[in-house]
Amino acid sequence: MFSSEVFSSGEGTLVATREVFSEDELAQLRGFPEPARAELIRYFTLAPADEAFVRKFRGQDNVLGATVQLCTLPWLGFVPDDVAAAAAVVARLSERLGVPAGALRRYGAREQTRTDHLREIAGYLGWRTVDGPRWKELEEFLFARAMEHDSPKLLFRQACEYLSSSRLVRPGVVKILERVAAARERAREETSTRVAPLLGPRRQAELDEMLTVDPVLGRTRLSWLGTGPVAATPAAVKDELGKLAYLRGLDADTLDLSVLPAERRRFLAGVGRRLTPQHLARREPARRYPILLTLIAQSAVDVLDEVLLLFDQALSGRESAARARLTEMLAERARGGEDRQALLDDILKIVLDLEVGDDQVGARLRGEMATSGCGQHGRPAASRCPVTTGTWR
């Protein structure tokens, strides 16, 4: 059963294949997928040289079976064990060769027959098997990819693409997963080695403090940093500025993590955001510290962006509110039959006066306007002027 298969994780433990792929996914990886029409035409159309090659095999079952392998190898990068399972493929090739499809039931009664045929077919097509040096090349390829991301499924599929593009017959799923696990572990060790010069005792202590509950905040610094603003309010701006000051106190804004690929940094910072402080605290230092380092470095950038955005939104909100109040004042003035331009001139004279502080504008407007523009035409200024009645703050 697929679920009982295990492979070495590269960490001295055994991992079941089901921890990476489900049984359905494993079946698909090992079997014949349903070919699309374009794939049938591209991969299962025999050239004269191909037909001459497969005709040399003795017996109709061997001719048809070898032909299925010949066409399948460039398509999938390997040949599934049950070659008779590809009904559409068998039907197309049996018609082309004039061989009954039922003949395939006798093919490969000896497993060695299929293996010998595949070896000959691979040589004819220019494909090779994965030997010692080629395994090493695959391992280096996977290590480079693992430094960018850590998904075993993605690494497995990239390994398959690498093998196919190199015309290397894909080994079994378990053998590839063993290399994937080893590459992931090697990437973790390399990450820890590269950031080690940034991790003195003081910084390690500061990073560990992020995972303990701060008595002032009532929660961990990690949780605090991960909680973004919900509104452009003065309190939100103040909180984000507090985060920025904290991160700069950790020198997060000057951390040089260029020793790690950009994708690796983004991946580790994402892990730090997803995991709880308790999960991170339980991780061994070699994994915990690189995650926290990349997280605070990325947070320093993100929080600065959030502060600027909040300021922009706050200023835009104040501008919109001021515009609405001005419109209301002008409308009130118009209803009294007074000149809008005169009122606007009165307002701008005070608002644009550099010697009048922001906190004095409202008082000056109320004082000036109560004795001038809003008191015309015989109506008491305080009864109808938005400035004197408190509409302008």
Side-chain angles (χ1 to χ4, degrees):
M1 292 293 292
F2 295 143
S3 59
S4 65
E5 293 178 302
V6 295
F7 64 93
S8 171
S9 69
E11 302 173 333
T13 59
L14 296 179
V15 178
T17 53
R18 66 170 178 267
E19 294 184 22
V20 180
F21 295 113
S22 68
E23 292 191 11
D24 287 343
E25 288 173 324
L26 281 169
Q28 292 172 5
L29 288 171
R30 290 179 165 129
F32 276 98
E34 187 66 30
R37 177 177 174 79
E39 292 173 322
L40 278 174
I41 295 172
R42 178 179 178 183
Y43 294 104
F44 297 94
T45 299
L46 292 176
D50 297 335
E51 184 171 352
F53 172 77
V54 297
R55 292 287 186 187
K56 74 174 189 174
F57 293 102
R58 298 177 57 184
Q60 290 185 327
D61 56 335
N62 289 330
V63 169
L64 184 54
T67 305
V68 172
Q69 293 205 73
L70 175 72
C71 298
T72 300
L73 181 57
W75 177 38
L76 299 180
F78 76 107
V79 179
D81 291 337
D82 189 5
V83 294
V89 167
V90 173
R92 179 180 177 84
L93 294 177
S94 67
E95 181 179 359
R96 175 68 179 82
L97 295 170
V99 174
L104 199 62
R105 288 194 294 268
R106 302 189 300 274
Y107 179 64
R110 290 176 60 250
E111 184 177 345
Q112 188 61 38
T113 299
R114 295 199 309 272
T115 303
D116 291 343
H117 287 178
L118 181 58
R119 186 177 297 109
E120 288 188 60
I121 290 165
Y124 169 74
L125 294 174
W127 283 60
R128 300 160 295 168
T129 57
V130 182
D131 56 15
R134 295 187 183 111
W135 273 121
K136 183 64 176 176
E137 292 171 2
L138 176 62
E139 290 164 1
E140 291 300 319
F141 169 83
L142 285 171
F143 166 64
R145 302 289 81 73
M147 284 298 294
E148 299 175 352
H149 52 77
D150 196 56
S151 167
K153 283 187 178 182
L154 180 56
L155 289 170
F156 178 90
R157 299 192 188 283
Q158 287 181 330
C160 292
E161 291 171 2
Y162 169 84
L163 292 167
S164 181
S165 64
S166 302
R167 289 179 172 256
L168 295 171
V169 180
R170 197 199 82 184
V173 173
V174 170
K175 289 185 178 181
I176 297 178
L177 285 177
E178 286 177 342
R179 270 68 184 187
V180 166
R184 294 174 68 206
E185 180 58 23
R186 183 180 167 192
R188 295 181 188 124
E189 293 173 355
E190 179 67 17
T191 297
S192 179
T193 299
R194 292 187 186 185
V195 302
L198 302 173
L199 289 167
R202 176 173 172 268
R203 175 162 278 156
Q204 291 183 30
E206 290 173 338
L207 293 175
D208 286 335
E209 285 176 3
M210 293 176 60
L211 307 179
T212 60
V213 176
D214 184 277
V216 176
L217 295 173
R219 54 179 168 169
T220 65
R221 291 280 182 176
L222 181 66
S223 301
W224 175 57
L225 290 173
T227 305
V230 295
T233 62
V237 173
K238 183 179 179 181
D239 195 36
E240 293 305 296
L241 287 173
K243 293 177 185 176
L244 196 58
Y246 169 71
L247 289 166
R248 290 188 172 180
L250 298 176
D251 297 326
D253 56 321
T254 60
L255 270 176
D256 182 8
L257 293 174
S258 58
V259 291
L260 299 178
E263 287 298 325
R264 184 72 176 176
R265 298 198 299 268
R266 279 192 285 270
F267 162 72
L268 291 173
V271 171
R273 291 189 182 97
R274 289 194 302 271
L275 294 181
T276 65
Q278 294 77 16
H279 277 98
L280 276 171
R282 288 196 295 268
R283 292 207 167 192
E284 60 271 26
R287 293 192 182 183
R288 180 170 70 249
Y289 292 136
I291 291 173
L292 291 173
L293 273 180
T294 54
L295 176 60
I296 63 172
Q298 186 60 48
S299 295
V301 176
D302 294 342
V303 172
L304 178 58
D305 289 343
E306 288 168 359
V307 167
L308 295 175
L309 180 61
L310 285 174
F311 270 121
D312 181 66
Q313 291 176 342
L315 290 174
S316 297
R318 293 293 296 273
E319 181 182 348
S320 298
R323 187 180 298 111
R325 289 194 293 270
L326 178 59
T327 301
E328 182 182 350
M329 291 173 63
L330 292 173
E332 179 67 20
R333 189 76 177 239
R335 284 194 293 271
E338 292 145 349
D339 178 43
R340 295 189 181 194
Q341 186 60 46
L343 176 60
L344 182 59
D345 291 342
D346 291 339
I347 294 172
L348 292 179
K349 182 169 60 178
I350 296 172
V351 172
L352 299 179
D353 188 344
L354 297 179
E355 295 182 359
V356 179
D358 291 345
D359 57 343
Q360 300 173 332
V361 170
R364 286 288 299 275
L365 284 173
R366 286 192 290 273
E368 294 287 338
M369 305 278 297
T371 59
S372 59
C374 289
Q376 297 176 6
H377 299 283
R379 294 182 61 188
S383 67
R384 54 190 173 85
C385 180
V387 178
T388 57
T389 55
T391 306
W392 186 289
R393 298 294 181 194

